[in-house]
CSV table of all heavy atoms in Angstrom, one decimal:
chain,number,residue,atom,x,y,z
A,1,CYS,N,-8.8,-4.8,-7.8
A,1,CYS,CA,-9.9,-5.0,-6.7
A,1,CYS,C,-10.1,-6.5,-6.4
A,1,CYS,O,-10.3,-6.6,-5.2
A,1,CYS,CB,-11.3,-4.4,-7.4
A,1,CYS,SG,-11.3,-2.6,-7.4
A,2,GLU,N,-10.0,-7.3,-7.4
A,2,GLU,CA,-10.1,-8.7,-7.0
A,2,GLU,C,-9.1,-9.2,-6.1
A,2,GLU,O,-9.4,-10.1,-5.3
A,2,GLU,CB,-10.3,-9.6,-8.3
A,2,GLU,CG,-11.5,-9.4,-9.0
A,2,GLU,CD,-11.6,-9.9,-10.4
A,2,GLU,OE1,-10.6,-10.7,-10.8
A,2,GLU,OE2,-12.5,-9.8,-11.2
A,3,ALA,N,-7.9,-8.8,-6.3
A,3,ALA,CA,-6.8,-9.1,-5.4
A,3,ALA,C,-7.0,-8.6,-3.9
A,3,ALA,O,-6.9,-9.3,-3.0
A,3,ALA,CB,-5.6,-8.6,-6.0
A,4,TRP,N,-7.5,-7.3,-3.8
A,4,TRP,CA,-7.9,-6.9,-2.5
A,4,TRP,C,-9.0,-7.7,-1.9
A,4,TRP,O,-9.0,-8.1,-0.6
A,4,TRP,CB,-8.4,-5.4,-2.5
A,4,TRP,CG,-7.4,-4.5,-2.5
A,4,TRP,CD1,-6.6,-3.7,-3.5
A,4,TRP,CD2,-6.6,-3.9,-1.2
A,4,TRP,NE1,-5.7,-3.0,-3.0
A,4,TRP,CE2,-5.6,-3.2,-1.6
A,4,TRP,CE3,-6.7,-4.4,0.0
A,4,TRP,CZ2,-4.7,-2.5,-0.7
A,4,TRP,CZ3,-6.0,-3.8,0.9
A,4,TRP,CH2,-4.9,-2.8,0.6
A,5,ASN,N,-10.1,-8.0,-2.7
A,5,ASN,CA,-11.1,-8.9,-2.2
A,5,ASN,C,-10.8,-10.3,-1.7
A,5,ASN,O,-11.2,-10.9,-0.8
A,5,ASN,CB,-12.2,-9.0,-3.1
A,5,ASN,CG,-12.9,-7.6,-3.4
A,5,ASN,OD1,-12.8,-6.7,-2.5
A,5,ASN,ND2,-13.7,-7.3,-4.6
A,6,ARG,N,-9.6,-10.8,-2.5
A,6,ARG,CA,-9.2,-12.2,-1.9
A,6,ARG,C,-8.1,-12.0,-0.9
A,6,ARG,O,-7.6,-13.1,-0.4
A,6,ARG,CB,-8.3,-12.8,-3.2
A,6,ARG,CG,-9.1,-13.3,-4.4
A,6,ARG,CD,-8.3,-14.1,-5.3
A,6,ARG,NE,-7.0,-13.6,-5.8
A,6,ARG,CZ,-6.8,-12.7,-6.6
A,6,ARG,NH1,-7.8,-12.3,-7.4
A,6,ARG,NH2,-5.6,-12.3,-6.9
A,7,ARG,N,-7.7,-10.8,-0.6
A,7,ARG,CA,-6.7,-10.6,0.4
A,7,ARG,C,-5.3,-11.1,0.0
A,7,ARG,O,-4.6,-11.7,0.8
A,7,ARG,CB,-7.2,-11.0,1.9
A,7,ARG,CG,-8.2,-10.3,2.5
A,7,ARG,CD,-8.6,-10.9,3.7
A,7,ARG,NE,-9.2,-9.9,4.6
A,7,ARG,CZ,-10.4,-9.4,4.6
A,7,ARG,NH1,-11.2,-9.7,3.5
A,7,ARG,NH2,-11.0,-8.6,5.3
A,8,ASP,N,-5.0,-11.0,-1.3
A,8,ASP,CA,-3.8,-11.5,-1.9
A,8,ASP,C,-2.8,-10.3,-2.0
A,8,ASP,O,-2.8,-9.7,-3.0
A,8,ASP,CB,-4.1,-12.0,-3.2
A,8,ASP,CG,-3.0,-12.8,-3.9
A,8,ASP,OD1,-1.8,-12.5,-3.6
A,8,ASP,OD2,-3.2,-13.5,-4.9
A,9,LEU,N,-2.0,-10.2,-0.9
A,9,LEU,CA,-1.0,-9.1,-1.0
A,9,LEU,C,0.0,-9.0,-2.1
A,9,LEU,O,0.2,-8.0,-2.6
A,9,LEU,CB,-0.2,-9.2,0.4
A,9,LEU,CG,0.7,-8.0,0.7
A,9,LEU,CD1,0.0,-6.7,0.6
A,9,LEU,CD2,1.4,-8.3,2.0
A,10,GLU,N,0.5,-10.1,-2.5
A,10,GLU,CA,1.4,-10.1,-3.6
A,10,GLU,C,0.7,-9.9,-4.9
A,10,GLU,O,1.5,-9.1,-5.7
A,10,GLU,CB,2.1,-11.6,-3.7
A,10,GLU,CG,2.9,-11.9,-2.6
A,10,GLU,CD,4.0,-11.0,-2.2
A,10,GLU,OE1,4.7,-10.3,-3.1
A,10,GLU,OE2,4.1,-10.6,-0.9
A,11,ALA,N,-0.4,-10.2,-5.1
A,11,ALA,CA,-1.1,-9.7,-6.4
A,11,ALA,C,-1.4,-8.2,-6.4
A,11,ALA,O,-1.4,-7.7,-7.4
A,11,ALA,CB,-2.5,-10.6,-6.6
A,12,ILE,N,-1.8,-7.7,-5.1
A,12,ILE,CA,-1.9,-6.3,-5.1
A,12,ILE,C,-0.7,-5.5,-5.4
A,12,ILE,O,-0.6,-4.7,-6.2
A,12,ILE,CB,-2.4,-6.0,-3.6
A,12,ILE,CG1,-3.7,-6.7,-3.3
A,12,ILE,CG2,-2.5,-4.5,-3.5
A,12,ILE,CD1,-4.2,-6.6,-1.9
A,13,LEU,N,0.4,-5.9,-4.8
A,13,LEU,CA,1.7,-5.2,-4.8
A,13,LEU,C,2.2,-5.4,-6.3
A,13,LEU,O,2.9,-4.5,-6.8
A,13,LEU,CB,2.7,-5.7,-3.9
A,13,LEU,CG,2.5,-5.5,-2.4
A,13,LEU,CD1,3.4,-6.3,-1.6
A,13,LEU,CD2,2.7,-4.0,-2.2
A,14,SER,N,1.7,-6.4,-7.1
A,14,SER,CA,2.3,-6.5,-8.5
A,14,SER,C,1.9,-5.5,-9.4
A,14,SER,O,2.5,-5.2,-10.5
A,14,SER,CB,1.7,-7.9,-9.1
A,14,SER,OG,0.4,-7.9,-9.3
A,15,HIS,N,0.9,-4.6,-9.0
A,15,HIS,CA,0.5,-3.5,-9.7
A,15,HIS,C,1.4,-2.2,-9.5
A,15,HIS,O,1.0,-1.2,-10.1
A,15,HIS,CB,-1.0,-3.2,-9.3
A,15,HIS,CG,-1.9,-4.2,-9.8
A,15,HIS,ND1,-2.6,-4.1,-11.0
A,15,HIS,CD2,-2.4,-5.4,-9.2
A,15,HIS,CE1,-3.3,-5.2,-11.1
A,15,HIS,NE2,-3.2,-6.0,-10.1
A,16,TYR,N,2.3,-2.2,-8.7
A,16,TYR,CA,3.1,-1.1,-8.3
A,16,TYR,C,4.6,-1.2,-8.6
A,16,TYR,O,5.1,-2.3,-8.6
A,16,TYR,CB,2.9,-0.8,-6.9
A,16,TYR,CG,1.6,-0.6,-6.4
A,16,TYR,CD1,0.8,-1.5,-6.0
A,16,TYR,CD2,1.0,0.7,-6.5
A,16,TYR,CE1,-0.6,-1.4,-5.6
A,16,TYR,CE2,-0.3,0.9,-6.1
A,16,TYR,CZ,-1.2,-0.1,-5.7
A,16,TYR,OH,-2.4,0.1,-5.5
A,17,THR,N,5.4,-0.1,-8.9
A,17,THR,CA,6.8,-0.2,-9.1
A,17,THR,C,7.4,-0.3,-7.8
A,17,THR,O,6.9,-0.1,-6.8
A,17,THR,CB,7.2,1.1,-9.8
A,17,THR,OG1,7.0,2.2,-8.9
A,17,THR,CG2,6.6,1.4,-11.3
A,18,ASP,N,8.7,-0.7,-7.8
A,18,ASP,CA,9.5,-0.9,-6.6
A,18,ASP,C,9.7,0.5,-6.0
A,18,ASP,O,9.7,0.6,-4.6
A,18,ASP,CB,10.8,-1.4,-7.0
A,18,ASP,CG,10.8,-3.0,-7.3
A,18,ASP,OD1,9.7,-3.5,-7.0
A,18,ASP,OD2,11.6,-3.4,-7.9
A,19,ASP,N,9.7,1.6,-6.7
A,19,ASP,CA,10.0,3.0,-6.0
A,19,ASP,C,8.7,3.8,-5.9
A,19,ASP,O,8.6,4.9,-5.9
A,19,ASP,CB,11.0,3.7,-6.8
A,19,ASP,CG,10.5,4.0,-8.2
A,19,ASP,OD1,9.6,3.3,-8.9
A,19,ASP,OD2,11.2,4.8,-9.0
A,20,VAL,N,7.4,3.1,-5.9
A,20,VAL,CA,6.2,3.7,-5.7
A,20,VAL,C,6.2,4.8,-4.6
A,20,VAL,O,6.8,4.5,-3.6
A,20,VAL,CB,5.2,2.8,-5.6
A,20,VAL,CG1,5.2,1.8,-4.3
A,20,VAL,CG2,3.8,3.3,-5.5
A,21,VAL,N,5.5,5.7,-4.8
A,21,VAL,CA,5.2,6.7,-3.7
A,21,VAL,C,3.6,6.8,-3.7
A,21,VAL,O,2.9,7.2,-4.6
A,21,VAL,CB,5.7,8.1,-4.0
A,21,VAL,CG1,5.3,9.1,-3.0
A,21,VAL,CG2,7.3,8.1,-4.0
A,22,LEU,N,3.0,6.6,-2.6
A,22,LEU,CA,1.6,6.5,-2.3
A,22,LEU,C,1.2,7.4,-1.3
A,22,LEU,O,1.8,7.4,-0.2
A,22,LEU,CB,1.0,5.3,-2.1
A,22,LEU,CG,-0.5,5.1,-1.9
A,22,LEU,CD1,-1.0,3.7,-2.5
A,22,LEU,CD2,-0.8,5.1,-0.4
A,23,THR,N,0.2,8.4,-1.5
A,23,THR,CA,-0.3,9.2,-0.4
A,23,THR,C,-1.7,9.0,-0.3
A,23,THR,O,-2.5,9.0,-1.3
A,23,THR,CB,0.0,10.8,-1.0
A,23,THR,OG1,1.4,11.0,-1.2
A,23,THR,CG2,-0.5,11.8,0.0
A,24,SER,N,-2.2,8.9,1.0
A,24,SER,CA,-3.6,8.6,1.4
A,24,SER,C,-3.9,9.1,2.7
A,24,SER,O,-3.0,9.0,3.6
A,24,SER,CB,-3.7,7.1,1.2
A,24,SER,OG,-5.0,6.8,1.7
A,25,PRO,N,-5.1,9.5,2.9
A,25,PRO,CA,-5.5,9.8,4.3
A,25,PRO,C,-5.4,8.6,5.1
A,25,PRO,O,-5.3,8.7,6.5
A,25,PRO,CB,-7.0,10.1,4.2
A,25,PRO,CG,-7.2,10.5,2.7
A,25,PRO,CD,-6.2,9.8,2.0
A,26,MET,N,-5.5,7.4,4.6
A,26,MET,CA,-5.4,6.2,5.4
A,26,MET,C,-4.0,5.9,5.9
A,26,MET,O,-3.8,5.3,7.0
A,26,MET,CB,-6.0,5.0,4.6
A,26,MET,CG,-7.5,5.0,4.2
A,26,MET,SD,-8.5,5.2,5.7
A,26,MET,CE,-8.4,3.6,6.5
A,27,VAL,N,-3.0,6.5,5.2
A,27,VAL,CA,-1.8,6.4,5.8
A,27,VAL,C,-1.6,7.2,7.0
A,27,VAL,O,-0.9,6.7,8.1
A,27,VAL,CB,-0.7,6.9,4.8
A,27,VAL,CG1,0.7,6.9,5.3
A,27,VAL,CG2,-0.7,6.0,3.5
A,28,VAL,N,-2.2,8.3,7.1
A,28,VAL,CA,-2.2,9.2,8.3
A,28,VAL,C,-2.8,8.3,9.4
A,28,VAL,O,-2.3,8.3,10.5
A,28,VAL,CB,-2.8,10.4,8.1
A,28,VAL,CG1,-3.1,11.3,9.4
A,28,VAL,CG2,-2.3,11.3,7.0
A,29,GLN,N,-4.0,7.7,9.2
A,29,GLN,CA,-4.7,7.0,10.2
A,29,GLN,C,-4.1,5.7,10.6
A,29,GLN,O,-3.8,5.4,11.8
A,29,GLN,CB,-6.1,6.6,9.6
A,29,GLN,CG,-7.0,5.8,10.6
A,29,GLN,CD,-8.3,5.5,9.9
A,29,GLN,OE1,-8.8,6.1,9.1
A,29,GLN,NE2,-8.8,4.4,10.4
A,30,ARG,N,-3.4,4.8,9.7
A,30,ARG,CA,-2.8,3.6,10.0
A,30,ARG,C,-1.5,3.7,10.6
A,30,ARG,O,-1.1,2.9,11.4
A,30,ARG,CB,-3.0,2.7,8.8
A,30,ARG,CG,-4.3,2.2,8.5
A,30,ARG,CD,-4.2,1.1,7.4
A,30,ARG,NE,-5.6,0.8,6.9
A,30,ARG,CZ,-5.9,0.8,5.6
A,30,ARG,NH1,-4.8,0.8,4.7
A,30,ARG,NH2,-7.2,0.6,5.3
A,31,LEU,N,-0.8,4.6,9.9
A,31,LEU,CA,0.7,4.6,10.2
A,31,LEU,C,1.1,5.9,11.1
A,31,LEU,O,2.3,6.1,11.5
A,31,LEU,CB,1.5,4.6,9.0
A,31,LEU,CG,1.3,3.4,8.2
A,31,LEU,CD1,2.3,3.5,6.9
A,31,LEU,CD2,1.7,2.1,8.9
A,32,GLY,N,0.2,6.8,11.2
A,32,GLY,CA,0.4,8.0,12.1
A,32,GLY,C,1.3,9.0,11.4
A,32,GLY,O,2.0,9.8,12.0
A,33,ARG,N,1.4,8.9,10.0
A,33,ARG,CA,2.4,9.9,9.3
A,33,ARG,C,1.6,11.1,8.9
A,33,ARG,O,0.7,11.0,8.1
A,33,ARG,CB,2.9,9.2,8.1
A,33,ARG,CG,3.8,8.0,8.5
A,33,ARG,CD,4.5,7.4,7.2
A,33,ARG,NE,5.2,6.4,7.6
A,33,ARG,CZ,5.9,5.6,6.7
A,33,ARG,NH1,6.0,6.0,5.4
A,33,ARG,NH2,6.8,4.6,7.1
A,34,PRO,N,1.9,12.2,9.4
A,34,PRO,CA,1.2,13.5,9.0
A,34,PRO,C,1.2,13.7,7.6
A,34,PRO,O,0.2,14.3,7.1
A,34,PRO,CB,1.9,14.6,9.8
A,34,PRO,CG,2.7,13.8,10.9
A,34,PRO,CD,3.1,12.6,10.4
A,35,ASP,N,2.2,13.4,6.8
A,35,ASP,CA,2.2,13.7,5.4
A,35,ASP,C,1.4,12.6,4.5
A,35,ASP,O,1.1,12.9,3.4
A,35,ASP,CB,3.6,13.9,4.8
A,35,ASP,CG,4.4,12.5,4.8
A,35,ASP,OD1,3.9,11.5,5.3
A,35,ASP,OD2,5.5,12.6,4.2
A,36,GLY,N,1.0,11.5,5.2
A,36,GLY,CA,0.1,10.6,4.6
A,36,GLY,C,0.8,9.7,3.4
A,36,GLY,O,0.1,9.3,2.5
A,37,THR,N,2.1,9.7,3.4
A,37,THR,CA,2.9,9.1,2.3
A,37,THR,C,3.8,8.0,2.7
A,37,THR,O,4.3,8.0,3.9
A,37,THR,CB,3.7,10.3,1.7
A,37,THR,OG1,3.0,11.3,1.4
A,37,THR,CG2,4.5,9.7,0.4
A,38,VAL,N,3.7,6.9,1.8
A,38,VAL,CA,4.7,5.9,2.0
A,38,VAL,C,5.4,5.9,0.7
A,38,VAL,O,5.1,6.2,-0.3
A,38,VAL,CB,3.9,4.4,2.1
A,38,VAL,CG1,3.1,4.3,3.4
A,38,VAL,CG2,3.0,4.1,1.0
A,39,HIS,N,6.7,5.4,0.9
A,39,HIS,CA,7.7,5.4,-0.1
A,39,HIS,C,8.3,4.0,-0.3
A,39,HIS,O,8.9,3.4,0.6
A,39,HIS,CB,8.9,6.3,0.3
A,39,HIS,CG,8.5,7.8,0.4
A,39,HIS,ND1,8.5,8.7,-0.6
A,39,HIS,CD2,8.2,8.4,1.6
A,39,HIS,CE1,8.1,9.9,-0.2
A,39,HIS,NE2,7.8,9.7,1.3
A,40,GLY,N,8.2,3.5,-1.6
A,40,GLY,CA,8.8,2.2,-2.0
A,40,GLY,C,7.9,1.0,-1.6
A,40,GLY,O,6.9,1.1,-0.7
A,41,LYS,N,8.1,0.0,-2.3
A,41,LYS,CA,7.3,-1.3,-2.1
A,41,LYS,C,7.3,-1.9,-0.8
A,41,LYS,O,6.4,-2.4,-0.3
A,41,LYS,CB,7.7,-2.4,-3.2
A,41,LYS,CG,6.4,-3.1,-3.5
A,41,LYS,CD,6.8,-4.1,-4.6
A,41,LYS,CE,6.1,-3.6,-5.8
A,41,LYS,NZ,6.3,-4.7,-7.0
A,42,ALA,N,8.5,-1.8,-0.1
A,42,ALA,CA,8.7,-2.4,1.3
A,42,ALA,C,7.6,-1.5,2.3
A,42,ALA,O,6.9,-2.3,3.0
A,42,ALA,CB,10.0,-2.3,1.8
A,43,GLU,N,7.7,-0.3,2.2
A,43,GLU,CA,6.7,0.4,3.2
A,43,GLU,C,5.3,0.2,2.7
A,43,GLU,O,4.3,0.1,3.4
A,43,GLU,CB,7.0,1.9,3.0
A,43,GLU,CG,8.2,2.3,3.8
A,43,GLU,CD,8.4,3.8,3.9
A,43,GLU,OE1,7.4,4.6,3.5
A,43,GLU,OE2,9.4,4.3,4.5
A,44,LEU,N,5.0,0.1,1.3
A,44,LEU,CA,3.7,-0.2,0.8
A,44,LEU,C,3.2,-1.5,1.3
A,44,LEU,O,2.0,-1.7,1.7
A,44,LEU,CB,3.7,-0.1,-0.7
A,44,LEU,CG,2.3,-0.1,-1.4
A,44,LEU,CD1,1.5,1.2,-1.1
A,44,LEU,CD2,2.5,-0.2,-3.0
A,45,ARG,N,4.0,-2.4,1.3
A,45,ARG,CA,3.6,-3.8,1.7
A,45,ARG,C,3.2,-3.8,3.2
A,45,ARG,O,2.1,-4.4,3.6
A,45,ARG,CB,4.9,-4.8,1.6
A,45,ARG,CG,4.6,-6.2,2.2
A,45,ARG,CD,6.0,-7.0,2.2
A,45,ARG,NE,6.4,-7.1,0.8
A,45,ARG,CZ,6.0,-8.0,-0.1
A,45,ARG,NH1,5.1,-8.8,0.2
A,45,ARG,NH2,6.5,-8.0,-1.3
A,46,ASP,N,3.9,-3.0,4.1
A,46,ASP,CA,3.5,-3.0,5.4
A,46,ASP,C,2.1,-2.3,5.5
A,46,ASP,O,1.3,-2.8,6.3
A,46,ASP,CB,4.6,-2.3,6.2
A,46,ASP,CG,4.1,-2.0,7.7
A,46,ASP,OD1,3.8,-3.1,8.4
A,46,ASP,OD2,4.2,-0.9,8.1
A,47,TYR,N,2.0,-1.1,4.8
A,47,TYR,CA,0.8,-0.5,5.0
A,47,TYR,C,-0.4,-1.3,4.4
A,47,TYR,O,-1.5,-1.3,5.0
A,47,TYR,CB,0.9,0.9,4.1
A,47,TYR,CG,-0.4,1.6,3.7
A,47,TYR,CD1,-1.1,2.2,4.7
A,47,TYR,CD2,-0.7,1.7,2.4
A,47,TYR,CE1,-2.3,2.8,4.6
A,47,TYR,CE2,-1.9,2.4,2.1
A,47,TYR,CZ,-2.7,2.9,3.2
A,47,TYR,OH,-3.9,3.7,2.8
A,48,PHE,N,-0.3,-1.9,3.3
A,48,PHE,CA,-1.4,-2.8,2.7
A,48,PHE,C,-1.7,-3.9,3.6
A,48,PHE,O,-2.8,-4.4,3.7
A,48,PHE,CB,-0.9,-3.2,1.3
A,48,PHE,CG,-1.2,-2.1,0.2
A,48,PHE,CD1,-0.9,-2.5,-1.1
A,48,PHE,CD2,-1.9,-0.9,0.5
A,48,PHE,CE1,-1.1,-1.4,-2.1
A,48,PHE,CE2,-2.2,0.0,-0.6
A,48,PHE,CZ,-1.6,-0.2,-1.7
């Protein structure tokens, strides 16, 4: 939470594996993906 509040992307990403899979309604909103899913840290970086 503190990393988000500081807007520290690298600190946020340090909490996830390289092969993370994240599903969220915000993925639908921000990325226009109907399944709401991002795959891997590179996609997660863009989303965050």
